[in-house]
PDB file of all heavy atoms in Angstrom:
ATOM      1  N   ARG A  59       1.798  24.059  -0.698  1.00  0.00           N
ATOM      2  CA  ARG A  59       1.560  25.488  -0.545  1.00  0.00           C
ATOM      3  C   ARG A  59       0.070  25.690  -0.280  1.00  0.00           C
ATOM      4  O   ARG A  59      -0.770  25.108  -0.953  1.00  0.00           O
ATOM      5  CB  ARG A  59       1.947  26.240  -1.812  1.00  0.00           C
ATOM      6  CG  ARG A  59       3.418  26.185  -2.119  1.00  0.00           C
ATOM      7  CD  ARG A  59       3.685  26.964  -3.414  1.00  0.00           C
ATOM      8  NE  ARG A  59       5.028  26.739  -3.880  1.00  0.00           N
ATOM      9  CZ  ARG A  59       6.068  27.484  -3.536  1.00  0.00           C
ATOM     10  NH1 ARG A  59       5.906  28.489  -2.717  1.00  0.00           N
ATOM     11  NH2 ARG A  59       7.265  27.210  -4.015  1.00  0.00           N
ATOM     12  N   LEU A  60      -0.235  26.519   0.712  1.00  0.00           N
ATOM     13  CA  LEU A  60      -1.612  26.839   1.042  1.00  0.00           C
ATOM     14  C   LEU A  60      -1.755  28.344   1.158  1.00  0.00           C
ATOM     15  O   LEU A  60      -0.862  28.999   1.710  1.00  0.00           O
ATOM     16  CB  LEU A  60      -2.015  26.207   2.383  1.00  0.00           C
ATOM     17  CG  LEU A  60      -2.000  24.691   2.492  1.00  0.00           C
ATOM     18  CD1 LEU A  60      -2.268  24.271   3.937  1.00  0.00           C
ATOM     19  CD2 LEU A  60      -3.031  24.087   1.575  1.00  0.00           C
ATOM     20  N   PRO A  61      -2.871  28.892   0.710  1.00  0.00           N
ATOM     21  CA  PRO A  61      -3.100  30.318   0.954  1.00  0.00           C
ATOM     22  C   PRO A  61      -3.112  30.569   2.471  1.00  0.00           C
ATOM     23  O   PRO A  61      -3.498  29.686   3.251  1.00  0.00           O
ATOM     24  CB  PRO A  61      -4.479  30.578   0.350  1.00  0.00           C
ATOM     25  CG  PRO A  61      -4.776  29.404  -0.506  1.00  0.00           C
ATOM     26  CD  PRO A  61      -3.956  28.264  -0.008  1.00  0.00           C
ATOM     27  N   GLU A  62      -2.714  31.748   2.866  1.00  0.00           N
ATOM     28  CA  GLU A  62      -2.606  32.054   4.292  1.00  0.00           C
ATOM     29  C   GLU A  62      -3.930  31.838   5.026  1.00  0.00           C
ATOM     30  O   GLU A  62      -3.946  31.303   6.129  1.00  0.00           O
ATOM     31  CB  GLU A  62      -2.121  33.499   4.487  1.00  0.00           C
ATOM     32  CG  GLU A  62      -1.836  33.811   5.947  1.00  0.00           C
ATOM     33  CD  GLU A  62      -1.254  35.198   6.143  1.00  0.00           C
ATOM     34  OE1 GLU A  62      -0.948  35.890   5.150  1.00  0.00           O
ATOM     35  OE2 GLU A  62      -1.105  35.579   7.306  1.00  0.00           O
ATOM     36  N   SER A  63      -5.044  32.200   4.398  1.00  0.00           N
ATOM     37  CA  SER A  63      -6.341  32.040   5.064  1.00  0.00           C
ATOM     38  C   SER A  63      -6.650  30.559   5.331  1.00  0.00           C
ATOM     39  O   SER A  63      -7.142  30.204   6.399  1.00  0.00           O
ATOM     40  CB  SER A  63      -7.462  32.667   4.240  1.00  0.00           C
ATOM     41  OG  SER A  63      -7.533  32.050   2.963  1.00  0.00           O
ATOM     42  N   LEU A  64      -6.327  29.694   4.372  1.00  0.00           N
ATOM     43  CA  LEU A  64      -6.564  28.265   4.546  1.00  0.00           C
ATOM     44  C   LEU A  64      -5.616  27.690   5.594  1.00  0.00           C
ATOM     45  O   LEU A  64      -6.007  26.877   6.431  1.00  0.00           O
ATOM     46  CB  LEU A  64      -6.414  27.524   3.219  1.00  0.00           C
ATOM     47  CG  LEU A  64      -6.673  26.030   3.233  1.00  0.00           C
ATOM     48  CD1 LEU A  64      -8.070  25.720   3.769  1.00  0.00           C
ATOM     49  CD2 LEU A  64      -6.508  25.461   1.833  1.00  0.00           C
ATOM     50  N   ARG A  65      -4.373  28.124   5.576  1.00  0.00           N
ATOM     51  CA  ARG A  65      -3.405  27.672   6.578  1.00  0.00           C
ATOM     52  C   ARG A  65      -3.875  28.073   7.978  1.00  0.00           C
ATOM     53  O   ARG A  65      -3.799  27.281   8.923  1.00  0.00           O
ATOM     54  CB  ARG A  65      -2.023  28.236   6.294  1.00  0.00           C
ATOM     55  CG  ARG A  65      -0.994  27.768   7.303  1.00  0.00           C
ATOM     56  CD  ARG A  65       0.411  28.233   6.936  1.00  0.00           C
ATOM     57  NE  ARG A  65       1.352  27.930   7.973  1.00  0.00           N
ATOM     58  CZ  ARG A  65       1.868  26.742   8.217  1.00  0.00           C
ATOM     59  NH1 ARG A  65       1.508  25.717   7.469  1.00  0.00           N
ATOM     60  NH2 ARG A  65       2.721  26.551   9.200  1.00  0.00           N
ATOM     61  N   ASN A  66      -4.383  29.290   8.122  1.00  0.00           N
ATOM     62  CA  ASN A  66      -4.897  29.740   9.421  1.00  0.00           C
ATOM     63  C   ASN A  66      -6.061  28.868   9.891  1.00  0.00           C
ATOM     64  O   ASN A  66      -6.154  28.516  11.062  1.00  0.00           O
ATOM     65  CB  ASN A  66      -5.313  31.208   9.360  1.00  0.00           C
ATOM     66  CG  ASN A  66      -4.128  32.142   9.215  1.00  0.00           C
ATOM     67  OD1 ASN A  66      -2.990  31.766   9.497  1.00  0.00           O
ATOM     68  ND2 ASN A  66      -4.389  33.355   8.740  1.00  0.00           N
ATOM     69  N   GLU A  67      -6.954  28.521   8.967  1.00  0.00           N
ATOM     70  CA  GLU A  67      -8.077  27.636   9.305  1.00  0.00           C
ATOM     71  C   GLU A  67      -7.580  26.256   9.711  1.00  0.00           C
ATOM     72  O   GLU A  67      -8.087  25.643  10.641  1.00  0.00           O
ATOM     73  CB  GLU A  67      -9.054  27.522   8.127  1.00  0.00           C
ATOM     74  CG  GLU A  67      -9.918  28.723   7.923  1.00  0.00           C
ATOM     75  CD  GLU A  67     -10.825  29.006   9.105  1.00  0.00           C
ATOM     76  OE1 GLU A  67     -11.400  28.072   9.692  1.00  0.00           O
ATOM     77  OE2 GLU A  67     -10.947  30.196   9.458  1.00  0.00           O
ATOM     78  N   LEU A  68      -6.576  25.756   8.990  1.00  0.00           N
ATOM     79  CA  LEU A  68      -5.983  24.452   9.306  1.00  0.00           C
ATOM     80  C   LEU A  68      -5.383  24.467  10.709  1.00  0.00           C
ATOM     81  O   LEU A  68      -5.619  23.553  11.503  1.00  0.00           O
ATOM     82  CB  LEU A  68      -4.913  24.090   8.267  1.00  0.00           C
ATOM     83  CG  LEU A  68      -4.097  22.827   8.531  1.00  0.00           C
ATOM     84  CD1 LEU A  68      -4.992  21.590   8.520  1.00  0.00           C
ATOM     85  CD2 LEU A  68      -2.988  22.699   7.496  1.00  0.00           C
ATOM     86  N   VAL A  69      -4.614  25.485  11.024  1.00  0.00           N
ATOM     87  CA  VAL A  69      -3.991  25.598  12.353  1.00  0.00           C
ATOM     88  C   VAL A  69      -5.064  25.685  13.431  1.00  0.00           C
ATOM     89  O   VAL A  69      -4.980  25.016  14.467  1.00  0.00           O
ATOM     90  CB  VAL A  69      -3.030  26.810  12.399  1.00  0.00           C
ATOM     91  CG1 VAL A  69      -2.574  27.090  13.825  1.00  0.00           C
ATOM     92  CG2 VAL A  69      -1.830  26.565  11.491  1.00  0.00           C
ATOM     93  N   HIS A  70      -6.115  26.479  13.179  1.00  0.00           N
ATOM     94  CA  HIS A  70      -7.205  26.610  14.157  1.00  0.00           C
ATOM     95  C   HIS A  70      -7.921  25.268  14.359  1.00  0.00           C
ATOM     96  O   HIS A  70      -8.156  24.839  15.495  1.00  0.00           O
ATOM     97  CB  HIS A  70      -8.195  27.691  13.706  1.00  0.00           C
ATOM     98  CG  HIS A  70      -9.399  27.786  14.579  1.00  0.00           C
ATOM     99  ND1 HIS A  70      -9.360  28.331  15.846  1.00  0.00           N
ATOM    100  CD2 HIS A  70     -10.674  27.365  14.389  1.00  0.00           C
ATOM    101  CE1 HIS A  70     -10.558  28.256  16.393  1.00  0.00           C
ATOM    102  NE2 HIS A  70     -11.369  27.673  15.532  1.00  0.00           N
ATOM    103  N   SER A  71      -8.271  24.601  13.264  1.00  0.00           N
ATOM    104  CA  SER A  71      -8.968  23.310  13.366  1.00  0.00           C
ATOM    105  C   SER A  71      -8.114  22.280  14.088  1.00  0.00           C
ATOM    106  O   SER A  71      -8.615  21.498  14.901  1.00  0.00           O
ATOM    107  CB  SER A  71      -9.326  22.779  11.978  1.00  0.00           C
ATOM    108  OG  SER A  71     -10.324  23.567  11.394  1.00  0.00           O
ATOM    109  N   ALA A  72      -6.829  22.266  13.787  1.00  0.00           N
ATOM    110  CA  ALA A  72      -5.923  21.316  14.449  1.00  0.00           C
ATOM    111  C   ALA A  72      -5.898  21.578  15.948  1.00  0.00           C
ATOM    112  O   ALA A  72      -5.963  20.641  16.751  1.00  0.00           O
ATOM    113  CB  ALA A  72      -4.520  21.429  13.856  1.00  0.00           C
ATOM    114  N   LYS A  73      -5.817  22.826  16.328  1.00  0.00           N
ATOM    115  CA  LYS A  73      -5.782  23.182  17.749  1.00  0.00           C
ATOM    116  C   LYS A  73      -7.065  22.747  18.447  1.00  0.00           C
ATOM    117  O   LYS A  73      -7.028  22.154  19.523  1.00  0.00           O
ATOM    118  CB  LYS A  73      -5.584  24.691  17.892  1.00  0.00           C
ATOM    119  CG  LYS A  73      -5.299  25.149  19.289  1.00  0.00           C
ATOM    120  CD  LYS A  73      -4.980  26.635  19.304  1.00  0.00           C
ATOM    121  CE  LYS A  73      -4.563  27.066  20.689  1.00  0.00           C
ATOM    122  NZ  LYS A  73      -4.189  28.486  20.712  1.00  0.00           N
TER     123      LYS A  73
END
Side-chain angles (χ1 to χ4, degrees):
R59 295 180 190 270
L60 298 173
E62 187 176 353
S63 60
L64 182 56
R65 181 175 173 77
N66 291 341
E67 285 298 319
L68 174 63
V69 170
H70 174 73
S71 291
K73 190 174 185 177

